[in-house]
Amino acid sequence: MVHHQRLHQWRKGEAHIFGDEEHGFVVFDFASFGHKRKKPRLFYLLLISLLSCSLVLLVPGLFGSSSLSLLYSFGVDSEVARENYDANAPPCSSMSNGTICCDRSGVRTDVCIMKGDVRTHSPSSSVFLYSSKQTSGLVDLFSSFLGVAEDGHDEELQHEKIRPYTRKWESTTMATIDELDLVVKKDIAVARHRCDVWHDVPAVFFSTGGYTGNVYHEFNDGILPLYITSQHFKKEVVFVILEYHDWWITKYGQILSHLTNYPPIDYSGDKRTHCFPEAIVGLKIHDELTVDPSLVKGKKSIVDFRNLLDRAYWPRINGLIQDEEREMQLKLSQPPSGSAQEQSMKINKQDQKPRLKKPKLVIFSRSGSRALLNEDCLVKMAEEMGFKVEVLRPDKTTELAKIYRVLNSSEVLIGVHGAAMTHFLFMKPGSVFIQVVPLGTDWAAETYYGEPARKLGLKYIGYEILPTESSLYSEYDKADPVLTNPKSVTEKGWEYTKKIYLDGQNVNLDMRRFRKRLLKAYDYSFMKINWHSNSLLKFD
């Protein structure tokens, strides 16, 4: 409603406005709108009109096309501009310097683009865009007669508000995000505007507030949208961060270094005026944990994002490997236990064994809610089946590079539904991802992790547990809807889902039932790492 009111106000001022109210974006053409007058007197307006018309007829060279556009803006529409406007073009795909274009058509996010003389002003939570487009010296002279600029203040031409976070539909969450005022001003005194730091590359403004601290939200609401929004700049972009966290920079620094060549700016903490030739305020987002190539410059996909993770983490992983090799060399340099003959016999026996690789299985362990109560039994069954098993128990301080190394080198990942399943992004395409789905979480498990995993190219298995495999089975009557009809409970609202199914449920796997899925994953993985014929790799 506010947006439409603003639109009508600009129409009342007779600026040239091109856009699509229905789809949520508007472009203001300030090339044809000189400046907003402060209640001019009728006498002066008539005088200006008469003088202008006389000068146009007598000395047409004094007026450029922009000056004539200003005259038309008093009541004549620009037919040329209307003809050039393409209603089918993507929002904000074409805009001139000195303008702001905001795409508010998305359910998940708003994104505004500013082009021209962009300057930060953190004390007022503002980003200013100074428009230096002048209609003519004569028009400015008339303005001075009217007292328009006598107070020395730049005139405001456009004002937008935006909270640069990607959960637009959640009003309670968005209320916690810092709001920015994006303001276009006509620059009538350029010398007054200090620029402490000049950047010759664009800026991307975004917030690391909201649900930051949860790895799913950090990737889904932040890192992936940041990749989508900025990758086409090829690292020639500066990130300006609202609600800046040092730990977030440390945690994701390796990824950020592959998206930008410049240190990020703490918007609130850095009081200097930073100047940019262009700014994108807000991040673009497609769907859960994915990248839609049809919506990205360069047709990048989620696989391209994962390749970026490879490049980001490999230097650190390579360093870890070298450290381990040095430790191994140190151990080998120590005198061996036993006689040389015994050592030789051991080597000969190892050489006689078939050199078939064991597929590596990683179990992502949970503590607290949705824990796997019989995890030890799962480990034993998997090892007997032929897997090389590793149980991963990271905490908030565990380096992502270390987690990436473990998952990148594995063939199968098993975990109970939860934020940690975001780490499927670290698996190589073609690997197997088995998600254990507790009662009441089937929709979320499929939407947030199942479908995105398939888009990455993983072989996904969703193992939906039976009521007897849930810890809730011993807490509720066997006919209670909590067990028999979880959907009817989750439809009551998020608070019921969270309290009962997310915070109050653990899992005790039926090993005979789960074995079928695990055996399927083993057969596929074993063939994959020990044979190279694609015709043998069937996965139904």
Side-chain angles (χ1 to χ4, degrees):
M1 184 66 181
V2 174
H3 174 71
H4 293 305
Q5 288 175 348
R6 186 186 304 119
L7 182 59
H8 294 312
Q9 289 169 2
W10 279 103
R11 282 178 172 165
K12 185 176 179 181
E14 296 296 337
H16 292 160
I17 302 172
F18 309 104
D20 188 337
E21 291 185 72
E22 180 180 354
H23 293 92
F25 67 93
V26 178
V27 178
F28 292 76
D29 182 8
F30 293 107
S32 60
F33 185 71
H35 55 271
K36 187 172 61 179
R37 303 183 181 275
K38 296 182 178 179
K39 300 180 180 179
R41 297 176 181 177
L42 180 60
F43 172 78
Y44 287 116
L45 281 175
L46 292 173
L47 178 61
I48 291 173
S49 299
L50 289 172
L51 288 173
S52 299
C53 291
S54 300
L55 287 170
V56 168
L57 293 173
L58 295 174
V59 194
L62 288 177
F63 286 87
S65 59
S66 60
S67 303
L68 293 174
S69 296
L70 176 63
L71 296 178
Y72 278 118
S73 71
F74 281 102
V76 181
D77 290 330
S78 175
E79 297 298 335
V80 174
R82 284 186 172 185
E83 289 176 4
N84 292 337
Y85 172 66
D86 182 3
N88 296 319
C92 304
S93 60
S94 178
M95 57 185 293
S96 58
N97 279 356
T99 61
I100 298 177
C101 177
C102 290
D103 179 6
R104 302 186 186 275
S105 60
V107 175
R108 294 172 177 263
T109 188
D110 290 336
V111 178
C112 293
I113 300 175
M114 311 173 75
K115 284 190 177 182
D117 185 2
V118 179
R119 304 186 179 214
T120 63
H121 190 257
S122 59
S124 64
S125 297
S126 302
V127 182
F128 293 114
L129 174 58
Y130 289 100
S131 176
S132 60
K133 295 176 181 177
Q134 304 293 328
T135 55
S136 74
L138 185 60
V139 173
D140 287 337
L141 179 62
F142 291 151
S143 298
S144 66
F145 286 151
L146 294 176
V148 171
E150 63 186 6
D151 57 0
H153 293 297
D154 299 314
E155 295 183 67
E156 185 176 301
L157 302 177
Q158 183 184 356
H159 193 151
E160 300 285 343
K161 291 180 178 291
I162 185 172
R163 298 181 190 271
Y165 190 61
T166 56
R167 299 190 77 79
K168 175 181 172 180
W169 75 96
E170 290 186 4
S171 57
T172 54
T173 302
M174 293 301 291
T176 68
I177 303 299
D178 290 347
E179 186 175 59
L180 283 177
D181 287 282
L182 312 183
V183 183
V184 178
K185 289 189 173 185
K186 182 182 177 185
D187 191 356
I188 59 174
V190 179
R192 289 205 322 268
H193 304 301
R194 183 182 76 255
C195 183
D196 297 319
V197 184
W198 171 253
H199 306 268
D200 58 1
V201 298
V204 172
F205 290 72
F206 64 96
S207 173
T208 54
Y211 292 117
T212 297
N214 175 293
V215 68
Y216 162 78
H217 290 287
E218 287 169 7
F219 271 94
N220 186 72
D221 304 340
I223 295 297
L224 271 165
L226 185 60
Y227 171 79
I228 292 168
T229 306
S230 67
Q231 59 81 30
H232 66 283
F233 289 117
K234 301 186 185 303
K235 300 176 66 175
E236 290 301 308
V237 61
V238 175
F239 297 147
V240 184
I241 305 176
L242 284 71
E243 297 164 274
Y244 183 101
H245 303 286
D246 287 328
W247 66 262
W248 187 88
I249 299 297
T250 300
K251 183 174 183 178
Y252 293 105
Q254 290 157 320
I255 298 176
L256 296 180
S257 68
H258 283 262
L259 291 175
T260 177
N261 287 322
Y262 307 91
I265 296 171
D266 177 356
Y267 177 79
S268 298
D270 190 338
K271 302 301 182 183
R272 296 176 298 174
T273 298
H274 291 265
C275 303
F276 303 93
E278 179 182 348
I280 299 175
V281 186
L283 300 178
K284 301 172 186 177
I285 183 172
H286 296 160
D287 209 337
E288 307 299 332
L289 293 175
T290 196
V291 178
D292 185 344
S294 68
L295 301 176
V296 181
K297 292 183 179 180
K299 303 298 182 183
K300 300 295 183 180
S301 70
I302 188 64
V303 175
D304 292 298
F305 173 75
R306 196 203 170 280
N307 291 339
L308 181 143
L309 296 183
D310 247 348
R311 298 192 298 273
Y313 291 129
W314 176 247
R316 173 59 176 154
I317 292 172
N318 189 45
L320 293 172
I321 293 172
Q322 290 178 356
D323 289 344
E324 292 171 0
E325 289 177 347
R326 281 192 291 268
E327 290 180 9
M328 183 63 68
Q329 290 296 328
L330 184 61
K331 290 180 180 179
L332 291 175
S333 64
Q334 298 175 355
S337 60
S339 65
Q341 184 177 2
E342 290 175 345
Q343 294 295 326
S344 177
M345 290 176 63
K346 289 180 181 179
I347 294 173
N348 290 335
K349 287 182 179 180
Q350 290 175 356
D351 290 342
Q352 293 172 2
K353 293 180 180 179
R355 294 172 178 261
L356 295 177
K357 297 180 182 178
K358 286 186 174 183
K360 180 180 175 182
L361 166 68
V362 174
I363 299 173
F364 222 108
S365 184
R366 287 184 64 95
S367 58
S369 64
R370 282 163 287 151
L372 198 57
L373 299 177
N374 54 348
E375 186 179 277
D376 292 343
C377 295
L378 175 59
V379 171
K380 182 179 179 181
M381 182 175 72
E383 288 177 339
E384 290 175 349
M385 193 174 288
F387 280 109
K388 177 182 177 182
V389 181
E390 181 170 350
V391 179
L392 195 57
R393 296 187 179 91
D395 56 34
K396 290 186 177 181
T397 64
T398 303
E399 282 186 67
L400 286 180
K402 292 182 178 180
I403 300 175
Y404 190 88
R405 180 189 179 189
V406 172
L407 295 178
N408 183 59
S409 62
S410 66
E411 281 70 49
V412 181
L413 169 64
I414 296 177
V416 180
H417 170 71
M421 294 300 92
T422 304
H423 294 101
F424 78 77
L425 292 169
F426 295 0
M427 300 285 289
K428 290 180 179 177
S431 302
V432 181
F433 171 31
I434 303 176
Q435 182 178 202
V436 177
V437 183
L439 297 180
T441 67
D442 51 331
W443 179 87
E446 170 63 21
T447 302
Y448 299 145
Y449 306 112
E451 183 59 25
R454 294 188 193 94
K455 290 178 180 177
L456 181 59
L458 302 186
K459 309 302 181 181
Y460 174 73
I461 299 175
Y463 178 81
E464 297 184 12
I465 71 170
L466 298 175
T468 53
E469 295 175 273
S470 172
S471 61
L472 300 175
Y473 193 74
S474 60
E475 300 176 21
Y476 290 85
D477 184 84
K478 305 306 178 282
D480 194 294
V482 167
L483 299 175
T484 62
N485 190 8
K487 186 177 180 181
S488 67
V489 178
T490 59
E491 286 177 346
K492 293 180 179 180
W494 168 249
E495 63 275 14
Y496 289 92
T497 302
K498 187 176 188 300
K499 180 180 178 180
I500 297 173
Y501 295 116
L502 297 181
D503 295 342
Q505 179 177 199
N506 290 316
V507 175
N508 195 353
L509 288 176
D510 180 336
M511 288 301 167
R512 287 186 296 181
R513 182 169 178 257
F514 190 77
R515 180 183 175 84
K516 297 177 182 178
R517 277 73 168 182
L518 193 58
L519 185 60
K520 181 179 180 181
Y522 176 81
D523 290 341
Y524 171 82
S525 302
F526 183 84
M527 288 192 295
K528 179 186 174 189
I529 63 175
N530 288 294
W531 278 275
H532 302 289
S533 174
N534 290 331
S535 62
L536 295 176
L537 300 180
K538 296 180 180 179
F539 193 92
D540 299 324

